[in-house]
Amino acid sequence: MNQRRRSAYVPQEIEPKWQKIWADRGVMKAADTSTKPKYYDLVMYPYPSGDLTVGHARNYVMGDILARLKRMQGYEVLHPFGWDAFGLPAENAAMKRGGIHPQTWTIENIAKGKRELKMMGILYDWDREVSSCVPDFYHWTEWLFLLFYKRGLAYRAMSPVNWCPVDKTVLANEQVVNGRCWRHPDVEVEKRDLEQWFFKITDYADRLLDDLALLEKWPTKVRVMQTNWIGRSEGAEVDFPIVGHEGESIRIYTTRPDTLFGATFMVLAPEHPLVEKITIDKQRADVREYVEKARKASEIDRLSTERAKTGINTGAFAVNPVNGEKIPIWIADYVLMTYGTGAIMAVPAHDERDFEFARRFNLPIREVIAPPGGPQRDLSEAFVGPGVMVNSGEFDGLESKVGFDRVIAWLENKGEGKRAIKYRLRDWLISRQRYWGCPIPIIYCEVDGIVPVPAKDLPVLLPEEYKPLSENPDFFKTTCPICGRDARRETDTMDTFVDSSWYFLRYLSPTDTTEPFDPELANYWMPVDQYTGGVEHAILHLLYSRFFIKVLHDAGMLEASEPFMRLFNQGMVKRFGQVMSKSAGNGVSPDELVAKQGADAGRIYEMFIGPPEEDVEWNDAGLNGVVRFLQRVWRLVIEPDSIVVGGSGADPVLLRRKVAQTVKNVTDDYEELRFNTAVAYLMELANAMQDYLQQGGARDESWDHAVRTLVKLLNPIGPHIAEEMWERLGERSMLADAQWPEFDAAAAAEPEVTLVVQVAGKVRDRLSVPAGLSQDQALEKALGSDRVKAALDGGGPSKVIYVQDRLINLVP
RNA sequence: GUCGGCGUGGCGGAACGGCAGACGCGCCGGACUUAGGAUCCGGUGCCCGAGAGGGCAUGGAGGUUCAAAUCCUCUCGCCGACACCA
């Protein structure tokens, strides 16, 4: 019997069987013409690095559970998959492997990854698979670039850009982390002046910010991160005339116009265009030296708040428009050319940075906002809070909040300034000096200038030969579409975040040869109902995708104005304290897992291991618990005879109740992505069923119901074993087609509840009472208890608190 | 520095303000076994107690409440994001 038992559940036999059946029957194919409600279940498409471990698979298992659940619940489910296939790693890997083509490497990895996903029992509609590096896809990335260009949202500009010396390409601001390249945390980014393509995401700053309010089902953390990233601030721009330069003035931006009277000097960024012009002769040499040094200083040094402030006086003066005061103009690198106007008015009494600077260079500090307790006696630090305006002429006595608007009104009236809103967000630099990316479909003609490639000539194909596009005349030599003269193609390619900003639309009509996506289908499927992926994309990818959707919405191509309704960021799987990866040598591959314990055990373990949003530590012993659970389930369902009976009977009503409660708990947990507790409830049910049999419970209708319900509830998370058991139960239809169990509230209700009696907050007795007892009856019961009487110490309760019908609290 | 999040048994972790520690791992004891790293049964927060039972427990200190892991204040520790944005 032991032998028979042990050979009973063999995942290695049943898993390939069902994977084949699902594929043959096209179980996860999404129909575009369906009367069912739709559910678009999206997982972030991965970079095909060839490093797929069970850690990555955890994310896809979550998506798969939802897809299978929603399918059983009667939704038309779209669960597609694809590959973020352009990008640098392919070029680097190709180089390492002696000049093989990035495409070869990429295609190999895609094949490998696909096999491993299937092996884990994760079902996608593979007919819709997309890959950003194939012409069928990047044709439309180019097309979308041209759409942006036509709408004035793509422009070319010379600007100081972030240059990664290792990747030999520019980076978007978002790809610079602490002054270093996002791919190489030990490599400092350099500044270079280059002419590059940008997307004008700043035009959408307000909408990207405001619409965050619509994304209620996004994690607060991600919404906060996006809010901070966009960094909206309200204030005023003010012009300070320059003494001795008739008609010239310096425009500054401030968020505190109410402190204008406290401006005792001005500071320009070293790169500010007026620096050369206004600097007096005596200071010229020193100023030039300072500017030169600042230019060389790396971003990381410059941004360090630890560093003492540096700066230099230009010798020039400006006039404060509110009081006509002459104030000196300084230069300092703590003022950034890339934010605001690149110039500030310094109010040392009410700004920490200005304060520090004034102290260091002995510049005057004048208090113009009095804190609640009245003016400060000693100005030992900047007071940055709100207060009452002082030393501010006609504005004296105003609350700073009121003064804010009054001063702006005054400035606008005099034509000296205006209300202004600034953002931290910068435009998105999309040019990359790389081969393995989507070509930018632009031609430069000496006569006609920047000429977009006509739509009929798309796609601009990457040349087969793997070498820099700018060194490949077969690629860049072309003729002008307008005048026919010799012209040169743009040889930069696009940031791969452009591809990933719209890939989820391509799934909807992946073979469409006339447009990037079918608007009608997009209006059926979009927005995405559930998007699952790593929190590392909380800013870049999600912000860019939101921007794309808004542009497409404005272009009339899409009804949706937000791409993803519900977002979930899953945690990472670690092993030996480190994030699991093949290259780190701590990876567990799907191959190993499936061969040893099976895909189902692996899937369930990955969900049971901890809360889905938390990082978790993989531990091989824990996996055994899940294997035991599956063996127990198998025995209960397939071989209940093998269970030793040691009792004289068990109540089927109790079994039904447990089943009904489990339906509720597991369904809710799956829907809210609380997979760890969903598994716990399934285990509880299996334990209860085992107890039932051991106590001699009848294998009647209630038992049958329990068995079938357990199998169904198990299906999304452990689909192979569930499907096999379903078949062996003699069911004719596939479990994948079965209906999700309905919650039976009546069966789930407890007829008896435990009445917990507290005296002054301490539990004194527990009494089993019928549910729905009136509160007076409950009190009577409670007072009938000797232990309660003893605790009340003779006297009766002076106060009684009832909570639901299960708890009663007596206060002596 | 600023803003978030988190501190619960030996471990991973459960707990609408209402029985703290579900579920699992591990461990202890037992049954069945040639054997057990299979399976089954029982136990397992700490302290006192033979037992019934009692006391103490959710990083620490206060507070609100009949009642706090949960809410508030302070504090310590860990993790994450941002970091001279005027």
Side-chain angles (χ1 to χ4, degrees):
Chain A
M1 188 161 93
N2 288 339
Q3 281 306 312
R4 195 168 68 84
R5 234 188 244 171
R6 200 177 307 173
S7 61
Y9 168 55
V10 184
Q12 292 76 10
E13 281 171 18
I14 63 176
E15 288 178 356
K17 168 184 161 186
W18 286 101
Q19 283 165 17
K20 182 165 189 311
I21 294 174
W22 292 326
D24 290 349
R25 301 224 187 141
V27 161
M28 206 43 84
K29 300 231 175 301
D32 291 321
T33 50
S34 172
T35 51
K36 299 180 189 171
K38 67 95 183 178
Y39 190 86
Y40 189 172
D41 177 15
L42 183 67
V43 290
M44 289 182 187
Y45 79 158
Y47 186 81
S49 63
D51 186 32
L52 186 84
T53 66
V54 292
H56 304 96
R58 186 166 184 244
N59 183 16
Y60 307 129
V61 169
M62 290 181 193
D64 192 54
I65 292 170
L66 284 174
R68 290 172 182 270
L69 170 74
K70 288 294 159 184
R71 194 173 181 283
M72 288 177 81
Q73 286 180 334
Y75 288 85
E76 189 62 44
V77 173
L78 175 57
H79 190 219
F81 202 76
W83 309 92
D84 186 12
F86 272 138
L88 261 173
E91 292 197 57
N92 295 340
M95 233 172 350
K96 252 191 218 160
R97 280 185 33 193
I100 71 159
H101 199 283
Q103 184 175 324
T104 314
W105 183 84
T106 305
I107 289 172
E108 279 175 15
N109 285 340
I110 288 176
K112 229 165 36 178
K114 203 166 161 177
R115 189 183 64 86
E116 289 177 308
L117 288 167
K118 288 182 175 174
M119 172 184 292
M120 289 294 291
I122 298 165
L123 293 183
Y124 294 111
D125 184 348
W126 286 106
D127 289 353
R128 294 171 184 264
E129 179 181 10
V130 303
S131 182
S132 59
C133 72
V134 305
D136 281 350
F137 184 97
Y138 72 73
H139 180 156
W140 302 107
T141 309
E142 293 176 10
W143 190 95
L144 288 165
F145 173 92
L146 294 176
L147 176 78
F148 277 52
Y149 183 77
K150 274 175 221 144
R151 298 184 66 82
L153 293 168
Y155 66 95
R156 196 167 148 80
M158 177 70 90
S159 84
V161 294
N162 309 300
W163 178 265
C164 174
V166 174
D167 289 344
K168 298 198 173 22
T169 188
V170 300
L171 302 170
N173 279 311
E174 291 82 349
Q175 292 164 341
V176 179
V177 181
N178 290 332
R180 296 161 196 271
C181 172
W182 68 312
R183 289 182 194 283
H184 311 100
D186 46 345
V187 175
E188 281 188 19
V189 165
E190 297 169 7
K191 286 279 174 195
R192 292 201 177 180
D193 275 325
L194 286 176
E195 182 133 45
Q196 300 285 293
W197 282 98
F198 290 85
F199 279 161
K200 223 168 171 184
I201 192 171
T202 52
D203 273 11
Y204 284 74
D206 261 330
R207 281 166 66 190
L208 288 168
L209 189 64
D210 293 346
D211 287 357
L212 285 172
L214 305 175
L215 305 175
E216 291 162 15
K217 292 181 182 166
W218 279 36
T220 311
K221 183 181 170 185
V222 174
R223 298 205 321 238
V224 168
M225 282 167 77
Q226 295 221 350
T227 303
N228 293 340
W229 191 264
I230 295 166
R232 178 186 152 108
S233 68
E234 293 183 29
E237 287 184 349
V238 188
D239 292 326
F240 282 61
I242 307 165
V243 175
H245 290 75
E246 204 54 39
E248 291 252 30
S249 56
I250 297 170
R251 171 161 298 183
I252 61 99
Y253 174 69
T254 178
T255 53
R256 293 294 301 273
D258 51 308
T259 65
L260 200 45
F261 285 82
T264 51
F265 58 102
M266 300 187 71
V267 186
L268 305 186
E271 304 88 347
H272 197 283
L274 286 173
V275 168
E276 261 306 293
K277 192 164 184 179
I278 63 168
T279 302
I280 62 167
D281 292 339
K282 204 180 105 208
Q283 290 293 91
R284 194 168 300 277
D286 289 349
V287 165
R288 278 189 180 155
E289 192 190 333
Y290 182 82
V291 169
E292 203 43 47
K293 244 167 112 186
R295 196 181 284 277
K296 278 193 203 139
S298 63
E299 185 97 338
I300 190 145
D301 285 343
R302 221 178 129 175
L303 290 181
S304 166
T305 42
E306 308 300 313
R307 204 180 56 140
K309 297 257 177 303
T310 63
I312 188 157
N313 195 345
T314 63
F317 289 86
V319 179
N320 186 338
V322 285
N323 56 12
E325 200 168 46
K326 270 175 63 181
I327 57 174
I329 304 170
W330 284 64
I331 294 166
D333 64 6
Y334 79 91
V335 175
L336 309 173
M337 195 58 221
T338 46
Y339 183 77
T341 59
I344 61 159
M345 65 170 191
V347 184
H350 306 292
D351 181 281
E352 280 163 16
R353 296 150 301 175
D354 297 346
F355 182 85
E356 189 193 331
F357 193 81
R359 270 290 150 90
R360 187 172 166 88
F361 294 102
N362 264 322
L363 291 157
I365 299 171
R366 184 193 305 142
E367 183 174 36
V368 292
I369 304 290
Q376 287 182 272
R377 213 154 250 287
D378 56 333
L379 287 164
S380 61
E381 59 178 10
F383 171 69
V384 298
V388 175
M389 292 176 72
V390 294
N391 296 323
S392 298
E394 61 181 281
F395 300 98
D396 277 356
L398 289 178
E399 288 288 334
S400 46
K401 256 187 251 160
V402 179
F404 181 101
D405 292 322
R406 290 282 191 83
V407 172
I408 292 175
W410 187 93
L411 289 166
E412 284 178 340
N413 192 29
K414 299 264 178 181
E416 314 262 17
K418 59 175 195 224
R419 186 177 290 274
I421 292 165
K422 298 282 175 197
Y423 301 92
R424 206 189 85 107
L425 182 70
R426 319 277 163 75
D427 279 339
W428 174 13
L429 170 70
I430 60 153
S431 298
R432 295 293 180 274
Q433 292 67 47
R434 306 302 314 182
Y435 166 84
W436 193 233
C438 175
I440 295 174
I442 288 288
I443 291 167
Y444 300 104
C445 168
E446 282 185 14
V447 178
D448 297 301
I450 297 175
V451 181
V453 174
K456 67 175 172 56
D457 297 340
L458 295 182
V460 175
L461 289 170
L462 281 177
E464 276 180 29
E465 191 183 355
Y466 174 46
K467 69 171 182 183
L469 298 178
S470 57
E471 293 166 22
N472 188 343
D474 291 343
F475 177 77
F476 66 69
K477 273 192 179 168
T478 187
T479 53
C480 172
I482 297 173
C483 66
R485 287 189 183 78
D486 284 351
R488 186 182 167 95
R489 278 189 198 285
E490 170 66 67
T491 54
D492 285 350
T493 51
M494 287 185 232
D495 183 2
T496 56
F497 279 109
V498 178
D499 311 327
S500 58
S501 294
W502 77 280
Y503 75 100
F504 46 89
L505 290 166
R506 189 64 186 169
Y507 287 137
L508 310 182
S509 46
T511 55
D512 200 325
T513 54
T514 59
E515 57 198 348
F517 59 91
D518 181 333
E520 212 171 301
L521 292 176
N523 289 338
Y524 172 65
W525 288 110
M526 288 296 287
V528 169
D529 294 275
Q530 171 68 46
Y531 197 26
T532 312
V535 72
E536 66 273 18
H537 292 113
I539 295 176
L540 299 174
H541 165 57
L542 293 174
L543 193 66
Y544 292 153
S545 298
R546 296 181 58 221
F547 166 53
F548 256 65
I549 292 304
K550 291 186 188 305
V551 173
L552 293 172
H553 174 86
D554 289 353
M557 295 172 68
L558 202 57
E559 279 168 19
S561 62
E562 280 289 337
F564 315 123
M565 292 317 287
R566 189 163 86 152
L567 175 70
F568 184 79
N569 298 123
Q570 89 287 1
M572 288 178 295
V573 179
K574 299 183 167 186
R575 192 160 174 240
F576 310 131
Q578 276 198 317
V579 176
M580 198 186 267
S581 80
K582 268 181 205 165
S583 51
N586 65 346
V588 174
S589 73
D591 279 299
E592 279 173 77
L593 175 74
V594 168
K596 270 197 211 151
Q597 287 93 352
D600 285 330
R603 290 166 61 109
I604 296 170
Y605 175 61
E606 291 205 272
M607 296 302 111
F608 185 57
I609 190 169
E613 69 279 10
E614 299 285 324
D615 290 352
V616 292
E617 176 76 20
W618 183 274
N619 147 4
D620 295 307
L623 188 50
N624 293 334
V626 174
V627 173
R628 279 201 276 271
F629 162 66
L630 288 179
Q631 284 167 344
R632 172 175 302 177
V633 170
W634 180 272
R635 205 165 49 246
L636 286 167
V637 175
I638 303 301
E639 311 177 303
D641 290 335
S642 71
I643 287 168
V644 182
V645 177
S648 56
D651 188 352
V653 174
L654 293 179
L655 181 65
R656 276 200 180 258
R657 186 179 308 152
K658 185 73 184 172
V659 170
Q661 289 170 347
T662 305
V663 168
K664 167 92 174 127
N665 291 333
V666 171
T667 306
D668 288 355
D669 280 357
Y670 278 158
E671 299 213 1
E672 297 306 315
L673 293 90
R674 295 185 298 246
F675 302 117
N676 54 330
T677 47
V679 175
Y681 285 124
L682 288 171
M683 288 174 165
E684 274 193 57
L685 177 59
N687 292 346
M689 287 169 66
Q690 180 162 310
D691 286 347
Y692 175 85
L693 283 193
Q694 280 170 349
Q695 286 159 21
R699 298 241 294 277
D700 58 6
E701 203 186 313
S702 294
W703 172 256
D704 238 44
H705 172 70
V707 164
R708 279 175 168 71
T709 307
L710 173 63
V711 172
K712 281 185 180 180
L713 293 177
L714 180 65
N715 186 47
I717 193 165
H720 310 86
I721 184 174
E723 197 82 66
E724 178 72 20
M725 291 188 301
W726 193 248
E727 189 182 69
R728 292 194 186 204
L729 284 171
E731 292 287 347
R732 306 190 49 177
S733 72
M734 277 179 67
L735 179 51
D737 297 320
Q739 276 228 321
W740 191 249
E742 293 278 330
F743 172 51
D744 182 346
E750 298 274 357
E752 289 222 318
V753 296
T754 304
L755 182 69
V756 178
V757 188
Q758 297 181 349
V759 177
K762 271 209 158 80
V763 177
R764 291 300 166 179
D765 206 354
R766 288 171 196 159
L767 307 161
S768 191
V769 299
L773 214 59
S774 81
Q775 297 193 332
D776 285 346
Q777 288 169 319
L779 178 61
E780 199 179 316
K781 272 267 188 205
L783 291 174
S785 155
D786 291 341
R787 296 176 55 192
V788 171
K789 273 185 213 152
L792 280 167
D793 204 25
S798 66
K799 194 174 169 191
V800 181
I801 291 123
Y802 305 92
V803 179
Q804 300 156 357
D805 56 353
R806 335 182 102 215
L807 192 144
I808 197 166
N809 192 0
L810 310 174
V811 185

